[in-house]
Amino acid sequence: MKEAEESGDMLMYRAVFRRMLETNSTRIIQNDSTSHAIILIEELLNTAKQTVYIYCSKLDEKVWSNPRVLNALVRALDRCVKFNVMTQEEVSNSNLAQKALSERGCPASVAKSSFAKENFIVVDERAFRLEVDTGDRKGFACANSPVNATTLIEIFKKMKEDEPREKEG
C-alpha cells in the first residue's frame, strides 16, 4: 500500500480520532497495530500547540520516519512547539526523526532511569497515546485526559532526573 493510500478502515479510524481531538473527547480509543500508532501519533502532532513529550525505546523508524509522522513532527517544530524526547536506547544520527529534532536543538536524550517500559507521547498536557505492548504496538489514546497526561509527564521527568543506581553488594 502506498503511503498516500489508506484503507477505508484506516480512514475511518483517523476520522474518529481527529473528531475526538477536535471535541476534546475523554473517550479512549484502542490502538492495535503499527498503522494505528502512525495515525494516532500523526494526529497528536498535528494538534500540538505548546509541548510534546515523547518516551520510547529508540524512535523506531517504522513509526517515527514514516513520511506522515515525520511531516507532522517537522510542522510542529516549525510552529515552535517545545519537544521533550527521551529514549531507552541511543538513537542513530541517521534516524530521520532524530535529525529533524537535532536540527532544531531538541535531540532525543537517553533516559537515566528506564523503569517505564511503555512508550508514550503526551501533547499539550492533555492528549496522549500509551503503548502497553511495544512488540505489537498495542495501546490506547485519549484526546483529553489531563490527569493521565500529567502522570505520564511526571514519569518522564523522573526518568530524566534519576541517576542510574549502582548494584549493591
Side-chain angles (χ1 to χ4, degrees):
M1 179 185 306
K2 290 183 182 175
E3 188 52 44
E5 298 174 8
E6 283 184 326
S7 71
D9 289 347
M10 291 298 115
L11 288 171
M12 180 63 74
Y13 188 80
R14 178 183 298 282
V16 166
F17 190 57
R18 189 175 286 164
R19 182 73 179 140
M20 290 172 68
L21 288 163
E22 290 168 354
T23 62
N24 287 321
S25 173
T26 58
R27 287 185 39 223
I28 297 291
I29 186 169
Q30 297 299 314
N31 165 186
D32 59 5
S33 69
T34 299
S35 296
H36 284 167
I38 288 168
I39 289 169
L40 295 175
I41 292 169
E42 177 192 0
E43 293 298 329
L44 285 166
L45 291 172
N46 282 337
T47 65
K49 291 178 178 65
Q50 296 175 348
T51 58
V52 172
Y53 288 85
I54 298 168
Y55 177 73
C56 59
S57 58
K58 60 182 179 183
L59 288 175
D60 189 323
E61 300 217 28
K62 289 179 188 171
V63 174
W64 293 98
S65 292
N66 172 283
R68 294 180 84 138
V69 171
L70 193 57
N71 286 336
L73 177 93
V74 169
R75 285 191 308 270
L77 287 162
D78 289 345
R79 290 191 307 273
C80 296
V81 172
K82 182 178 183 213
F83 275 76
N84 302 280
V85 184
M86 192 168 34
T87 60
Q88 295 172 22
E89 303 169 22
E90 195 72 38
V91 180
S92 165
N93 289 331
S94 65
N95 180 294
L96 296 176
Q98 177 73 326
K99 278 184 180 180
L101 291 161
S102 294
E103 287 171 1
R104 288 161 178 86
C106 47
S109 62
V110 178
K112 292 183 179 178
S113 170
S114 58
F115 56 85
K117 300 300 179 201
E118 298 82 4
N119 296 336
F120 59 83
I121 177 172
V122 179
V123 173
D124 295 336
E125 300 180 10
R126 64 173 184 80
F128 71 91
R129 174 185 174 269
L130 176 63
E131 188 173 272
V132 293
D133 181 343
T134 57
D136 289 332
R137 292 202 172 78
K138 292 183 179 180
F140 56 92
C142 183
N144 187 25
S145 180
V147 171
N148 289 322
T150 299
T151 299
L152 291 171
I153 291 169
E154 288 172 5
I155 291 168
F156 181 98
K157 289 178 178 177
K158 181 74 174 157
M159 288 186 293
K160 191 169 187 91
E161 294 168 1
D162 273 359
E163 292 296 328
R165 295 185 181 155
E166 293 186 27
K167 293 181 182 176
E168 293 181 22

